């Protein structure tokens, strides 16, 4: 009998076909729209594949045959890893294949926030650009030759460092759980403690995964240590930052601007004060969202789920 794989949100056809070649597939383009059927499918599931399903005790209790969970994302804060391990279930994510695309998104946020691209785009489109010209107070900040502080120097962090060092002649500071010698040797990245990074950086980019240790990592104290001209970038997870402290830091001009791909609550609430600040550039959590990269992530996740249900080694296991 073929193993059963439950696909719980939309997946590219190539990835679906790959799974179907060796498994029975139960496919939900959005599991939330059909909870009774999804819960029924869980009872037979050997493998689960998709993005952002909260996998906790209640869910695992409904899936007694589960062997593997393949996240179609590099982040895995949706998974209760200690519990999954305890139950002898395997788990995988999709590192590496999205590094370039996410690093590109971060560069876009840095440039857009520093050079005020969305604000000036609106200025032009709403007829603000007249013969009277353009005022000094609308000028932006340079990106080139500035100091970029990267908190979390993994695959995405070092891909960003490469762009910043070689594309923009930036100086790179970083803070990480462990030293990244490759980034130090290749991009002249300098390891430093958080305090020093926050005080010296013109751009502060947080790239850590969300874990119990990194929840609220950047808060009131950290914003108070940044330069008044600092541009803060978050493309990891919203909850790594204390959003109330970020709002206060921007409202009080404690920092200069922010570029955000992620929020504490997603989709972001319409009345979130961040949405009405001209010095905040926002994106809808689309760091890795190009067709090419999302297809690679889907294939990697598909390979992981098939490997897990057929007793082979996962390509990119989480543990
Ligand atoms: C990731 O891969 O973790 C992206 O943030 C999409 O969730």
């Amino acid at each position: 009998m073929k193993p059963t794989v439950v696909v719980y949100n939309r997946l590219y056809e190539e990835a679906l076909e790959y799974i179907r070649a060796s498994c029975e597939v139960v496919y939900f383009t959005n599991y939330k729209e059909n909870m009774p059927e999804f819960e029924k499918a869980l009872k037979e599931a050997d493998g689960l594949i998709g993005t952002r399903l909260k996998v906790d005790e209640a869910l695992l209790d409904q899936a007694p045959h589960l062997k593997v969970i393949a996240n179609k994302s590099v982040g895995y804060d949706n998974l209760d890893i200690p519990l999954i391990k305890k139950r002898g279930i395997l788990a995988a994510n999709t590192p590496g294949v999205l590094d370039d695309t996410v690093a590109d998104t971060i560069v876009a946020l840095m440039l857009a926030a520093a050079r005020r691209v969305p604000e000036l785009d609106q200025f032009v489109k709403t007829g603000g650009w007249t013969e009277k010209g353009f005022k000094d107070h609308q000028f932006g900040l340079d990106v080139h030759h500035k100091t970029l502080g990267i908190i979390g120097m993994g695959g995405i962090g070092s891909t960003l460092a490469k762009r910043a060092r070689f594309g923009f002649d930036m100086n790179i500071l970083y803070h990480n759980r462990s030293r990244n010698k490759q980034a130090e040797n290749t991009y002249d990245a300098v390891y430093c403690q958080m305090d020093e990074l926050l005080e010296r950086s013109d751009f502060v980019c947080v790239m850590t995964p969300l874990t119990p240790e990194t929840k609220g990592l950047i808060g009131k104290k950290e914003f108070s240590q940044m330069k008044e001209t600092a541009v803060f970038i978050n493309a990891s997870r919203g909850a790594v930052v204390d959003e109330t402290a970020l709002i206060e830091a921007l409202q009080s001009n404690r920092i200069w601007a922010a570029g955000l791909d992620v929020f504490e609550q997603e989709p972001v609430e319409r009345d979130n004060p961040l949405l009405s600040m001209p010095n905040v550039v926002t994106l809808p959590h689309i760091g890795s969202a190009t067709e090419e990269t999302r297809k690679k992530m889907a294939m990697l996740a598909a390979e992981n789920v098939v490997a897990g249900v057929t007793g082979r080694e996962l390509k990119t296991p989480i543990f």
Side-chain angles (χ1 to χ4, degrees), residues 26-75:
V26 187
Y27 183 29
F28 298 88
T29 50
N30 179 356
Y31 74 98
K32 287 184 189 159
E33 286 169 2
N34 196 347
M35 280 312 277
E37 283 302 312
F38 175 64
E39 282 168 8
K40 201 166 125 201
L42 281 178
K43 292 190 183 16
E44 308 302 326
D46 296 293
L48 257 183
I49 174 171
T51 350
R52 300 195 196 183
L53 173 70
K54 193 169 163 46
V55 177
D56 55 11
E57 189 157 23
L59 185 123
L60 291 179
D61 286 347
Q62 296 184 74
H65 308 295
L66 199 59
K67 295 185 183 65
V68 58
I69 303 161
N71 254 19
K72 198 182 57 180
S73 62
V74 67

Side-chain angles (χ1 to χ4, degrees), residues 7-316:
V7 181
Y8 64 82
N9 40 37
R10 200 176 64 81
L11 194 66
Y12 283 107
E13 203 44 50
E14 297 94 299
L16 276 173
E17 271 172 30
Y18 177 84
I19 304 171
R20 281 192 182 120
S22 47
C23 308
E24 292 297 334
V25 170
V26 187
Y27 183 29
F28 298 88
T29 50
N30 179 356
Y31 74 98
K32 287 184 189 159
E33 286 169 2
N34 196 347
M35 280 312 277
E37 283 302 312
F38 175 64
E39 282 168 8
K40 201 166 125 201
L42 281 178
K43 292 190 183 16
E44 308 302 326
D46 296 293
L48 257 183
I49 174 171
T51 350
R52 300 195 196 183
L53 173 70
K54 193 169 163 46
V55 177
D56 55 11
E57 189 157 23
L59 185 123
L60 291 179
D61 286 347
Q62 296 184 74
H65 308 295
L66 199 59
K67 295 185 183 65
V68 58
I69 303 161
N71 254 19
K72 198 182 57 180
S73 62
V74 67
Y76 50 86
D77 44 288
N78 58 316
L79 306 180
D80 183 336
I81 295 295
L83 181 69
I84 289 168
K85 266 188 185 168
K86 200 166 129 199
R87 297 211 177 180
I89 298 167
L90 303 172
N93 63 342
T94 60
V97 291
L98 43 56
D99 292 353
D100 281 304
T101 302
V102 178
D104 287 351
T105 303
I106 296 169
V107 172
L109 284 172
M110 286 167 58
L111 286 169
R115 299 301 304 274
R116 306 169 72 158
V117 174
E119 192 186 340
L120 295 174
D121 171 71
Q122 279 308 302
F123 176 72
V124 175
K125 288 180 181 163
T126 56
W129 190 24
T130 63
E131 288 301 327
K132 283 188 199 152
F134 181 80
K135 301 281 186 312
D136 289 9
H137 71 80
Q138 292 173 295
F139 289 179
L141 295 175
D142 276 331
V143 175
H144 64 87
H145 294 96
K146 294 283 182 69
T147 297
L148 168 64
I150 301 175
I151 302 167
M153 191 61 112
I156 298 171
S158 42
T159 309
L160 171 65
K162 178 179 176 184
R163 281 156 176 67
R165 183 76 195 122
F166 299 134
F168 295 89
D169 292 306
M170 295 180 91
N171 302 311
I172 315 294
L173 303 179
Y174 80 100
H175 182 74
N176 199 43
R177 271 181 313 184
S178 54
R179 296 283 285 264
N180 184 329
K181 290 287 177 194
Q182 193 255 347
E184 292 182 17
N185 297 335
T186 323
Y187 313 128
D188 301 326
V190 175
Y191 176 83
C192 59
Q193 295 303 323
M194 274 285 267
D195 292 347
E196 187 183 348
L197 181 146
L198 296 170
E199 283 159 20
R200 287 180 53 199
S201 298
D202 299 298
F203 292 80
V204 176
C205 179
V206 61
M207 281 317 312
T208 55
L210 175 62
T211 64
E213 293 75 41
T214 63
K215 194 166 190 291
L217 179 73
I218 308 294
K220 196 175 164 66
K221 172 177 162 283
E222 287 70 27
F223 287 115
S224 76
Q225 291 175 281
M226 293 181 200
K227 294 184 183 182
E228 280 186 7
T229 50
V231 175
F232 177 71
I233 307 288
N234 187 6
S236 60
R237 287 291 183 268
V240 170
V241 177
D242 173 348
E243 207 165 88
T244 308
L246 172 63
I247 293 167
E248 274 169 22
L250 287 158
Q251 278 170 340
S252 61
N253 299 320
R254 188 59 216 78
I255 62 169
W256 199 75
L260 306 172
D261 185 35
V262 291
F263 299 84
E264 253 175 35
Q265 167 75 43
E266 294 182 4
V268 65
E269 306 98 320
R270 294 290 300 276
D271 61 353
N272 187 319
L274 292 166
L275 303 193
S276 51
M277 296 183 192
N279 54 345
V280 177
V281 179
T282 57
L283 290 175
H285 199 151
I286 51 91
S288 62
T290 62
E291 192 165 335
E292 300 98 309
T293 291
R294 286 289 169 93
K295 280 189 174 161
K296 287 183 201 156
M297 292 164 73
M299 269 317 288
L300 180 53
E303 285 166 5
N304 278 321
V305 84
V306 170
V309 296
T310 55
R312 285 182 289 119
E313 212 172 297
L314 306 188
K315 277 193 100 168
T316 48

